[in-house]
Coordinates of all heavy atoms in Angstrom, one line a residue:
V236 N -6.7 6.7 6.4 CA -6.4 5.8 5.2 C -5.5 4.7 5.6 O -5.6 3.5 5.2 CB -5.8 6.7 4.1 CG1 -5.3 5.8 2.9 CG2 -6.8 7.7 3.5
R237 N -4.4 5.0 6.4 CA -3.4 4.0 6.7 C -4.1 2.9 7.5 O -3.8 1.7 7.3 CB -2.3 4.6 7.5 CG -1.0 3.8 7.5 CD 0.1 4.5 8.1 NE -0.1 4.9 9.5 CZ -0.2 6.1 10.0 NH1 -0.2 7.2 9.1 NH2 -0.4 6.4 11.2
A238 N -5.0 3.2 8.4 CA -5.6 2.1 9.2 C -6.4 1.2 8.4 O -6.4 0.0 8.6 CB -6.4 2.8 10.3
W239 N -7.2 1.8 7.4 CA -8.0 1.0 6.6 C -7.2 0.0 5.7 O -7.4 -1.1 5.6 CB -8.9 1.8 5.7 CG -9.8 1.0 4.8 CD1 -11.0 0.5 5.1 CD2 -9.5 0.6 3.4 NE1 -11.5 -0.2 4.0 CE2 -10.6 -0.1 3.0 CE3 -8.4 0.8 2.6 CZ2 -10.7 -0.7 1.8 CZ3 -8.5 0.2 1.3 CH2 -9.6 -0.5 0.9
Q240 N -6.1 0.6 5.1 CA -5.3 -0.2 4.3 C -4.5 -1.3 5.0 O -4.4 -2.4 4.5 CB -4.3 0.7 3.5 CG -4.9 1.6 2.5 CD -3.9 2.4 1.7 OE1 -2.8 2.7 2.3 NE2 -4.2 2.8 0.5
Q241 N -4.0 -1.0 6.3 CA -3.4 -2.0 7.1 C -4.3 -3.2 7.3 O -3.9 -4.3 7.3 CB -2.8 -1.4 8.3 CG -1.9 -2.3 9.0 CD -0.6 -2.5 8.4 OE1 0.2 -1.6 8.2 NE2 -0.3 -3.7 8.0
E242 N -5.5 -2.9 7.7 CA -6.5 -3.9 8.0 C -6.7 -4.8 6.8 O -6.7 -6.1 6.9 CB -7.8 -3.4 8.5 CG -8.9 -4.4 8.8 CD -10.2 -3.7 9.2 OE1 -10.3 -2.5 9.3 OE2 -11.1 -4.5 9.5
R243 N -6.9 -4.2 5.6 CA -7.1 -5.0 4.4 C -5.9 -5.8 3.9 O -6.0 -6.9 3.5 CB -7.7 -4.1 3.2 CG -9.0 -3.5 3.5 CD -10.1 -4.5 3.7 NE -11.4 -4.0 3.9 CZ -11.9 -3.6 5.0 NH1 -11.1 -3.6 6.1 NH2 -13.1 -3.1 5.2
L244 N -4.8 -5.2 4.0 CA -3.5 -5.9 3.7 C -3.3 -7.1 4.6 O -2.8 -8.1 4.1 CB -2.4 -4.9 3.7 CG -2.3 -3.8 2.6 CD1 -1.3 -2.7 2.9 CD2 -2.0 -4.5 1.2
D245 N -3.5 -6.9 5.8 CA -3.3 -8.1 6.7 C -4.3 -9.2 6.3 O -3.9 -10.4 6.4 CB -3.6 -7.6 8.2 CG -2.6 -6.7 8.7 OD1 -1.5 -6.7 8.1 OD2 -2.8 -6.1 9.9
M246 N -5.5 -8.9 5.9 CA -6.4 -9.9 5.6 C -6.0 -10.6 4.3 O -6.1 -11.8 4.1 CB -7.8 -9.3 5.4 CG -8.9 -10.3 5.0 SD -10.5 -9.4 4.6 CE -10.0 -8.5 3.2
L247 N -5.6 -9.8 3.3 CA -5.3 -10.4 1.9 C -3.9 -11.1 2.0 O -3.8 -12.2 1.3 CB -5.2 -9.2 1.0 CG -6.5 -8.5 0.6 CD1 -6.3 -7.4 -0.4 CD2 -7.5 -9.5 -0.1
T248 N -2.9 -10.7 2.6 CA -1.6 -11.3 2.6 C -1.5 -12.5 3.5 O -0.5 -13.3 3.3 CB -0.5 -10.2 2.9 OG1 -0.7 -9.7 4.2 CG2 -0.5 -9.1 1.9
A249 N -2.3 -12.6 4.5 CA -2.2 -13.7 5.5 C -2.2 -15.1 4.9 O -1.5 -16.0 5.3 CB -3.2 -13.6 6.5
D250 N -3.0 -15.2 3.8 CA -3.2 -16.6 3.2 C -2.4 -16.7 1.8 O -2.8 -17.6 1.1 CB -4.7 -16.9 3.0 CG -5.3 -17.0 4.4 OD1 -4.7 -17.5 5.4 OD2 -6.5 -16.7 4.4
I251 N -1.5 -15.9 1.5 CA -0.7 -16.0 0.3 C 0.7 -16.6 0.7 O 1.4 -16.1 1.5 CB -0.5 -14.7 -0.3 CG1 -1.8 -14.0 -0.7 CG2 0.4 -14.8 -1.6 CD1 -1.6 -12.6 -1.3
F252 N 0.9 -17.8 0.1 CA 2.1 -18.6 0.5 C 3.2 -18.6 -0.6 O 2.9 -18.3 -1.7 CB 1.7 -20.0 0.8 CG 0.7 -20.1 2.0 CD1 -0.7 -20.3 1.7 CD2 1.1 -20.0 3.2 CE1 -1.6 -20.3 2.7 CE2 0.1 -20.0 4.3 CZ -1.2 -20.2 4.0
G253 N 4.3 -18.9 -0.2 CA 5.5 -18.9 -1.1 C 6.7 -18.7 -0.3 O 6.9 -19.1 0.9
F254 N 7.8 -18.1 -1.0 CA 9.1 -18.0 -0.4 C 9.5 -16.5 -0.3 O 10.2 -16.1 0.6 CB 10.1 -18.8 -1.1 CG 9.9 -20.3 -1.0 CD1 9.2 -20.9 -2.1 CD2 10.3 -21.0 0.1 CE1 9.0 -22.3 -2.0 CE2 10.0 -22.4 0.1 CZ 9.4 -23.0 -0.9
N255 N 9.2 -15.8 -1.4 CA 9.7 -14.4 -1.5 C 8.6 -13.4 -1.7 O 7.9 -13.5 -2.6 CB 10.7 -14.3 -2.6 CG 11.8 -15.3 -2.5 OD1 12.5 -15.4 -1.5 ND2 12.1 -16.1 -3.6
A256 N 8.6 -12.4 -0.8 CA 7.6 -11.3 -0.9 C 8.2 -10.0 -0.8 O 9.3 -9.8 -0.2 CB 6.6 -11.4 0.3
L257 N 7.7 -9.0 -1.6 CA 8.3 -7.7 -1.7 C 7.2 -6.6 -1.6 O 6.2 -6.6 -2.2 CB 9.0 -7.6 -3.1 CG 9.6 -6.2 -3.5 CD1 10.8 -5.9 -2.6 CD2 10.0 -6.3 -5.0
Q258 N 7.6 -5.6 -0.8 CA 6.8 -4.3 -0.8 C 7.6 -3.3 -1.4 O 8.8 -3.0 -1.1 CB 6.5 -3.9 0.6 CG 5.7 -2.5 0.7 CD 5.5 -2.1 2.2 OE1 5.5 -2.9 3.1 NE2 5.3 -0.8 2.3
I259 N 7.1 -2.5 -2.4 CA 7.8 -1.5 -3.1 C 7.2 -0.1 -2.6 O 6.1 0.2 -2.8 CB 7.6 -1.6 -4.6 CG1 8.1 -2.9 -5.1 CG2 8.3 -0.5 -5.3 CD1 7.9 -3.2 -6.6
G260 N 8.1 0.6 -2.0 CA 7.7 2.0 -1.6 C 6.9 2.1 -0.4 O 6.3 1.1 0.2

């Protein structure tokens, strides 16, 4: 599960821009 989620998260977050990002938990 962790490997699949890490791959998708890398893909989704790479092109989100701004100044402040937060991971909760």
Side-chain angles (χ1 to χ4, degrees):
V236 171
R237 195 171 67 248
W239 181 86
Q240 289 185 334
Q241 189 68 66
E242 180 183 356
R243 292 301 180 277
L244 286 168
D245 289 347
M246 179 187 69
L247 291 177
T248 61
D250 295 328
I251 300 177
F252 300 100
F254 297 96
N255 303 310
L257 173 68
Q258 174 184 342
I259 299 178

